[in-house]
Amino acid sequence: MSKIGYSRRGVLKAGAAAAVASAFPAPMIWAQEIRNITLRQFGTGVSNINEVAQKVKEDLGFTLEMTALDSDAVTQRAATQPNSFDIADIEYWICKKVWPTGNLQAMDTAKIKLYDKIVPLFTTGKLTPESVIAQGTAPHTVGFVEGQGSKTFATEPTQWMTLIPTIYNADTLGIRPDIINRPISHWKELLNPEFKGKASILDISAIGIMDAAMVCESMGEVSYGDKGNMTREEIDKTMAIFTEAKRAGQFRSFWKTFDESVNLMASGEVVIQSMWSPAITAVKTRGIPCVYQPLEEGYRSWGGGIGLSKALEGAKLDAAYEYINWYLSGWVGGFLMRQGYYSAVPETSKEHMDANEWGYWFEGKPATADIANPYGQVMAKAGESRDGGSFYERMGHVACWNSVMDENQYMVRKWNEFIAA
């Protein structure tokens, strides 16, 4: 863990679990009214999970109501309905769209007990001091504002954060190795005519365009100044290549939801496509071979965090900070890491995983026993290693982050033309 550069190491020492527990005691200030508090949270299905809400009720005493939406609906609600939620569980590229509306309030890092243990990707943009900052909307570029009431993103860390980071991952292509039956090493394989009628890409424009750019760059067809902030000419070239492939019958389908991607791959209708880590897990738990394929060009990454409505105040605001501190204290991190995600504070998650789980998910070691997902379903057998290896191997090879471009409206229009072609 020393690579991450944390300033405190106490949680990793003997008795760490007890130390974490004592650092996050049950709320006392409003103990009588806490049972009457309800916080309304919305976000994507990635982290809006019933088990988290149940654990909040057990550990903190108040009610967390969760609503899971797709990325476009999350963006619209955060930008237009600030009184309809208390907590926005959103991605950093969405924050870039939402923050200028003034619908979220800046959060005081002095109230975040484990702030100095957050992975530096979210504060400096670098996994290690030697890391090169990836293209796109890297979380640290929209993670801080100049002051409590500011709508301007800060160029370096301040006391005021837009989102408290919670979850992130390095995304790549999912494949069916039993059907493809040969090595896949490059993003360009998505448009290989060998897979005509059996390929898919996700239909969320801000994310799909990034996968498309990785493919076009891998093909040597387009050279981007910044894949996360394309010019109109770069957008046109990218969409022309994918539109030609679509008209030639390359794609079996396009997907917007987790379940759609799982069903396409599990059925064998698709053998190579954009995927998310838990979708790979879901396919594998059905006993179907599926690989999250490391590719030579690197990963497309994303990160999410908790944002607070501008309308949140008083006891509810206190409860929200209590929730954030609890979230980073380890239980949720362990739950999410068993699905293939990473926690913003890995060392506390370690205390909620056994040595075999930590070795498999974080360190990239071969499993010493079967690996189960959070629901007890076996998704990796003893002796298997995680696709892509360790945390540092995967997050150290991020080529770009999910983004909002200056030419976003133009990009969305061209993307929709591609889908409709």
Side-chain angles (χ1 to χ4, degrees):
M1 295 300 293
S2 61
K3 285 186 181 180
I4 296 180
Y6 295 135
S7 61
R8 296 199 305 250
R9 299 170 185 263
V11 180
L12 287 178
K13 298 184 182 298
V20 171
S22 64
F24 299 94
M28 298 298 294
I29 299 174
W30 14 270
Q32 296 302 315
E33 60 179 296
I34 187 106
R35 288 176 295 178
N36 298 323
I37 288 178
T38 296
L39 294 180
R40 302 161 298 163
Q41 174 175 310
F42 77 100
T44 66
V46 166
S47 50
N48 285 268
I49 303 166
N50 289 335
E51 285 78 6
V52 173
Q54 292 166 4
K55 190 66 173 172
V56 166
K57 189 68 173 179
E58 292 174 14
D59 290 0
L60 301 180
F62 56 81
T63 299
L64 186 67
E65 291 182 350
M66 288 183 167
T67 302
L69 306 168
D70 64 44
S71 296
D72 290 337
V74 166
T75 304
Q76 183 178 21
R77 183 168 179 177
T80 62
Q81 303 174 52
N83 294 321
S84 71
F85 66 89
D86 302 307
I87 297 171
D89 181 8
I90 63 178
E91 293 179 46
Y92 279 85
W93 67 269
I94 294 176
C95 182
K96 189 175 181 179
K97 285 187 173 185
V98 172
W99 191 264
T101 67
N103 287 349
L104 300 178
Q105 60 176 284
M107 286 172 282
D108 187 352
T109 60
K111 295 182 179 181
I112 308 303
K113 298 175 182 179
L114 293 171
Y115 172 78
D116 68 337
K117 295 183 181 293
I118 291 173
V119 173
L121 282 171
F122 294 97
T123 53
T124 67
K126 293 187 175 186
L127 184 61
T128 69
E130 299 77 29
S131 297
V132 175
I133 296 174
Q135 295 179 355
T137 306
H140 75 289
T141 64
V142 294
F144 297 89
V145 285
E146 296 173 351
Q148 186 174 13
S150 177
K151 292 185 180 180
T152 304
F153 295 119
T155 57
E156 58 185 23
T158 68
Q159 185 179 342
W160 302 99
M161 294 192 87
T162 57
L163 303 176
I164 303 301
T166 54
I167 184 174
Y168 55 106
N169 208 358
D171 282 354
T172 181
L173 297 176
I175 68 168
R176 281 287 301 269
D178 57 321
I179 299 176
I180 292 178
N181 202 30
R182 69 170 177 82
I184 297 292
S185 303
H186 299 279
W187 278 88
K188 65 184 178 183
E189 295 278 17
L190 186 68
L191 293 191
N192 190 327
E194 177 185 345
F195 308 125
K196 180 179 178 180
K198 288 185 172 293
S200 180
I201 191 170
L202 77 167
D203 182 16
I204 300 172
S205 59
I207 305 174
I209 189 72
M210 303 299 289
D211 282 357
M214 294 293 285
V215 171
C216 293
E217 193 170 64
S218 174
M219 295 170 67
E221 294 292 335
V222 185
S223 179
Y224 301 92
D226 180 352
K227 290 184 288 296
N229 196 20
M230 300 181 201
T231 64
R232 288 196 175 199
E233 181 182 5
E234 290 168 347
I235 294 169
D236 287 344
K237 287 181 179 179
T238 304
M239 290 294 88
I241 290 168
F242 268 72
T243 299
E244 181 181 356
K246 182 176 186 289
R247 287 175 172 157
Q250 183 69 14
F251 300 107
R252 169 65 181 85
S253 182
F254 304 97
W255 61 267
K256 277 182 177 286
T257 70
F258 172 93
D259 288 340
E260 288 173 337
S261 72
V262 172
N263 292 334
L264 285 169
M265 191 65 91
S267 67
E269 293 179 62
V270 165
V271 300
I272 183 168
Q273 67 170 352
S274 304
M275 284 193 85
W276 298 335
S277 184
I280 297 288
T281 301
V283 174
K284 292 175 75 171
T285 54
R286 298 184 187 184
I288 299 169
C290 194
V291 172
Y292 214 30
Q293 186 62 52
L295 301 170
E296 290 188 13
E297 297 86 5
Y299 295 88
R300 172 189 52 76
S301 196
W302 59 274
I306 291 172
L308 302 183
S309 168
K310 67 176 182 181
L312 199 59
E313 60 184 4
K316 282 194 171 185
L317 180 59
D318 292 338
Y321 272 106
E322 194 76 32
Y323 169 58
I324 291 169
N325 282 318
W326 172 85
Y327 202 112
L328 298 180
S329 69
W331 184 89
V332 183
F335 190 94
L336 295 176
M337 286 182 72
R338 291 184 186 93
Q339 298 181 77
Y341 299 123
Y342 292 118
S343 163
V345 185
E347 65 180 77
T348 60
S349 302
K350 183 179 183 180
E351 300 305 323
H352 293 264
M353 306 174 78
D354 63 35
N356 180 44
E357 291 174 321
W358 180 257
Y360 178 85
W361 289 115
F362 192 86
E363 298 176 326
K365 295 178 179 178
T368 58
D370 289 354
I371 295 290
N373 68 11
Y375 309 102
Q377 299 167 306
V378 174
M379 52 75 57
K381 296 291 187 179
E384 293 183 20
S385 299
R386 182 177 186 177
D387 302 332
S390 73
F391 172 78
Y392 289 101
E393 289 174 302
R394 299 177 85 255
M395 293 308 301
H397 288 87
V398 171
C400 61
W401 291 88
N402 288 354
S403 300
V404 175
M405 306 179 187
D406 294 340
E407 294 287 355
N408 180 67
Q409 289 184 324
Y410 183 78
M411 181 277 292
V412 172
R413 188 170 86 241
K414 302 305 287 187
W415 178 268
N416 289 338
E417 290 174 4
F418 154 62
I419 294 296

